Amino acid sequence: MTKLLKWVITILIIYGAYNFYFKESKNNAVTEQSPTLENSINQNSITSFIQSVTKELGNLKSLFNDAQDILPDWNVEENAEEIAKPELVTPKDHPFSIYNISLGDNKQAVEKTLGSPQRVTTNEYGISWFTYHHNYQNFVMIGYDENNQVATLYTNQDLIASTNGIKKGTEKAKVLETLGEPLTELRKGLVSYKMTNDRDYEMFSLDGSYVTVFFDKHENNTVTALQIVSSSIEENRKDFYVDGSEELKEGFEYQLFDLTNASRVNNHLKPLSWDEAVKETARKHSLDMAENNYFSHTNLEGESPFDRMLNDGIRYSMAGENLAYGQNSSIFAHEGLMNSMGHRENILQKDFAFLGIGVAFNNNAQPYYTENFLTK
């Protein structure tokens, strides 16, 4: 009986694929979905085929409900093994800690707990982000000063502990009530940089540090991420925007990639794989915008993101693009994208599998970020 069922299922799948192929060969149009510029998605007939076969498989599973011995894995997504979250303790020497790590902790002690970093990249402070995670679970970024002591910290996962009860998921009103008046400008030399009124974060000066609390507008304005920067590191950065070196460009690209994957894991989605080819496509678009002073998914030649990918020989069944401009770090760029629904949908699109990111700087050192998502 089992062998017979297997043969019946195989024949039905082949029959469905055969009929679908000849129908599609008569109508070779590409389905393009672009509901907004910020949520540009292009999906061709291959995806429709996959969806059709998946639907048929679902119907067959119901039909042969009594044959579970040969259908054990249908409609089951393989997830990475869940890593236990550390037991968080109240910090002693600073209002906040991340993964029980505080400013001033020694690098050797940190890595005894976290292990070796998954990535080391240059950041806007002229030091490096050391990125630690286990397949993007327990994700934390740490920067060390010249004495190998913790000088910067960031996470967008449930690793925040505090002396005042603030943690991931705390409401914004509670944060403001607890921490008081946030900063409205950041002074660099003789210039003060004012923060926009519609910002999705608040910055506080606390105990020798600048603490930035990010909020998720789509989760009732609750805490979604935290960045801690020692006062000496922040004040050593003389300008709001810093010169866009090759190292910083690459650093921003990989940081934005890691931040994206950490957010996907937060939402029970698989991490994306880095795509070097589409990174080049993204870099070229960021550079084009930076050099020609425009900001759009459509370039000055009238080419869409999908045109640019195809022109570079990149084939896909589904693709999308996110753009950001002016944020002085990948952290601020990512948090802003997550608070824009169109961009957020691309970041959390379960069917995307690959991502390439390209960054370029204009003459004022302002970065342009291009994220190109795709499924092959």
Side-chain angles (χ1 to χ4, degrees):
M1 180 61 180
T2 299
K3 290 183 179 180
L4 176 61
L5 285 175
K6 288 181 177 179
W7 276 109
V8 170
I9 292 167
T10 303
I11 292 168
L12 286 172
I13 291 173
I14 294 171
Y15 177 78
Y18 177 87
N19 279 282
F20 185 88
Y21 174 82
F22 281 100
K23 286 180 182 178
E24 288 302 312
S25 66
K26 295 176 182 178
N27 182 12
N28 198 28
V30 173
T31 302
E32 182 169 323
Q33 303 174 18
S34 299
T36 67
L37 283 174
E38 291 78 10
N39 189 26
S40 298
I41 295 178
N42 189 316
Q43 188 170 358
N44 70 18
S45 57
I46 296 297
T47 302
S48 299
F49 167 71
I50 294 170
Q51 291 172 343
S52 175
V53 171
T54 301
K55 182 179 179 181
E56 291 302 320
L57 291 177
N59 292 337
L60 286 170
K61 185 175 180 180
S62 297
L63 180 62
F64 296 113
N65 197 39
D66 59 343
Q68 292 297 314
D69 58 319
I70 64 166
L71 306 171
D73 298 321
W74 287 7
N75 293 331
V76 175
E77 183 174 339
E78 182 181 350
N79 294 316
E81 180 183 353
E82 187 171 342
I83 304 298
K85 191 186 81 171
E87 182 179 348
L88 301 177
V89 299
T90 303
K92 296 179 179 180
D93 301 324
H94 190 271
F96 289 95
S97 66
I98 293 175
Y99 208 126
N100 297 326
I101 297 164
S102 298
L103 293 180
D105 285 356
N106 183 269
K107 180 183 177 183
Q108 185 176 4
V110 169
E111 296 198 341
K112 185 176 180 180
T113 300
L114 302 185
S116 300
Q118 299 295 317
R119 199 189 307 278
V120 180
T121 52
T122 300
N123 66 23
E124 69 277 13
Y125 292 105
I127 60 175
S128 296
W129 279 123
F130 289 68
T131 303
Y132 305 88
H133 61 85
H134 297 279
N135 200 29
Y136 292 100
Q137 299 179 63
N138 292 338
F139 178 86
V140 59
M141 296 164 62
I142 300 176
Y144 303 99
D145 63 17
E146 66 276 8
N147 298 315
N148 277 331
Q149 292 182 321
V150 174
T152 59
L153 283 155
Y154 168 89
T155 190
N156 60 0
Q157 296 186 348
D158 188 14
L159 300 170
I160 302 167
S162 67
T163 58
N164 44 47
I166 294 172
K167 58 184 180 179
K168 193 174 192 297
T170 299
E171 294 182 355
K172 183 175 183 178
K174 176 66 174 177
V175 173
L176 295 176
E177 177 187 335
T178 303
L179 299 183
E181 284 294 318
L183 301 175
T184 58
E185 63 181 30
L186 196 59
R187 190 171 183 83
K188 294 293 178 185
L190 300 176
V191 179
S192 291
Y193 293 89
K194 292 189 176 297
M195 301 175 193
T196 60
N197 292 330
D198 62 346
R199 61 188 179 273
D200 44 27
Y201 63 89
E202 297 293 355
M203 184 181 291
F204 303 87
S205 179
L206 298 173
D207 287 15
S209 69
Y210 291 86
V211 175
T212 304
V213 184
F214 296 93
F215 301 96
D216 192 330
K217 293 179 178 178
H218 303 290
E219 294 290 342
N220 301 315
N221 261 334
T222 54
V223 175
T224 189
L226 186 77
Q227 177 179 269
I228 308 170
V229 180
S230 71
S231 295
S232 59
I233 291 292
E234 182 61 68
E235 291 161 8
N236 189 54
R237 181 168 61 114
K238 301 304 181 184
D239 295 305
F240 189 71
Y241 296 108
V242 298
D243 290 340
S245 65
E246 190 67 27
E247 292 78 15
L248 184 60
K249 176 173 68 174
E250 185 175 90
F252 278 180
E253 291 168 349
Y254 282 121
Q255 290 155 26
L256 194 49
F257 174 76
D258 289 337
L259 290 162
T260 298
N261 275 337
S263 288
R264 286 178 65 86
V265 168
N266 285 346
N267 288 272
H268 311 291
L269 298 170
K270 292 182 179 179
L272 302 171
S273 298
W274 179 260
D275 191 293
E276 189 70 16
V278 82
K279 177 207 77 173
E280 294 300 328
T281 302
R283 269 192 177 185
K284 286 189 290 186
H285 187 55
S286 287
L287 182 61
D288 189 38
M289 291 189 291
E291 289 182 339
N292 293 291
N293 192 32
Y294 75 96
F295 183 66
S296 174
H297 291 283
T298 304
N299 66 18
L300 300 181
E301 285 72 45
E303 295 173 331
S304 72
F306 318 116
D307 296 327
R308 294 191 294 272
M309 291 183 208
L310 292 173
N311 290 343
D312 286 345
I314 296 167
R315 298 295 179 262
Y316 55 83
S317 62
M318 184 176 182
E321 178 175 272
N322 282 349
L323 302 178
Y325 157 69
Q327 295 88 348
N328 73 330
S329 77
S330 286
I331 288 174
F332 280 85
H334 175 71
E335 298 299 337
L337 290 168
M338 284 295 290
N339 272 306
S340 170
M341 184 51 75
H343 299 86
R344 185 187 186 101
E345 288 174 348
N346 273 344
I347 291 169
L348 302 182
Q349 168 56 253
K350 67 181 180 61
D351 294 323
F352 283 141
F354 298 91
L355 172 62
I357 296 171
V359 172
F361 299 83
N362 66 13
N363 290 333
N364 296 319
Q366 296 168 318
Y368 287 75
Y369 307 83
T370 300
E371 297 179 323
N372 284 153
F373 303 84
L374 69 154
T375 299
K376 298 180 181 179

